[in-house]
Amino acid sequence: MKNISFEFNGQQIGVEAPGDTPLLWVIREELRATGTKFGCGRGLCGSCTVHLNGQAVRSCVMPVSACHQQKVRTIEDLGEQQGHPVQKAWVKHSVPQCGYCQSGQVMQAASLLDNATTPMTESELVDGMSNNLCRCGTYHKIKDAVVEAAKNMGKLK
């Protein structure tokens, strides 16, 4: 067991866990933030996407020890005050069907757009979202929402 401390959704915390415990299970079981979902357990589907120092990462394959003295952000904290532009676009375009993958999709899109240093093309946006899977197949709605958020954030060519 290790004492691992990190910033979680804006608050400094410490957890006792084996260092190789996936961050996903610490988030869900220890911290009770259940918006981050378990999908494949192999980092392939994106349902477990969170931000580590502002970058999208797959929490199901990220050992919690790698988060020591880092900043972790989940869907519960994204746009806490007024809603992130991606979240607003998601609502406007009625993206979710079953909703299971949506927190991972939103976190991936938010990281993609927040970290874009120059405006992106629609093709680049689609490529940036291509590793997140949606079993319901709402990719056209996801694309429309990401494009709208990019426009609203001044990140679309």
Side-chain angles (χ1 to χ4, degrees), residues 3 5 14 19 25-26 38-39 51 54 58 81 91 96 107 112 115 122 131 137 139 157:
N3 185 357
S5 49
W25 299 121
V26 171
F38 173 79
H51 295 172
R58 306 296 207 237
Q81 304 277 328
V91 171
M107 294 302 283
L112 178 67
N115 291 304
E122 283 190 28
N131 288 326
Y139 295 111
K157 281 186 184 175

Side-chain angles (χ1 to χ4, degrees), residues 64-133:
V64 70
S65 60
C67 301
H68 187 65
Q69 302 300 322
Q70 307 298 313
K71 293 180 181 182
V72 175
R73 188 177 200 195
T74 65
I75 191 74
E76 286 88 355
D77 188 57
L78 185 70
E80 182 63 29
Q81 304 277 328
Q82 301 171 358
H84 191 280
V86 171
Q87 291 170 307
K88 290 178 181 179
W90 237 250
V91 171
K92 181 178 177 183
H93 289 273
S94 301
V95 175
Q97 280 190 23
C98 82
Y100 197 82
C101 70
Q102 296 308 299
S103 61
Q105 297 274 2
V106 167
M107 294 302 283
Q108 179 68 33
S111 176
L112 178 67
L113 295 174
D114 287 344
N115 291 304
T117 56
T118 60
M120 304 172 75
T121 65
E122 283 190 28
S123 177
E124 290 170 324
L125 292 172
V126 169
D127 287 347
M129 295 297 297
S130 67
N131 288 326
N132 283 65
L133 303 179

Side-chain angles (χ1 to χ4, degrees), residues 132-147:
N132 283 65
L133 303 179
C134 174
R135 290 180 179 99
C136 297
T138 62
Y139 295 111
H140 64 287
K141 288 183 177 184
I142 292 168
K143 177 188 172 229
D144 292 346
V146 174
V147 166

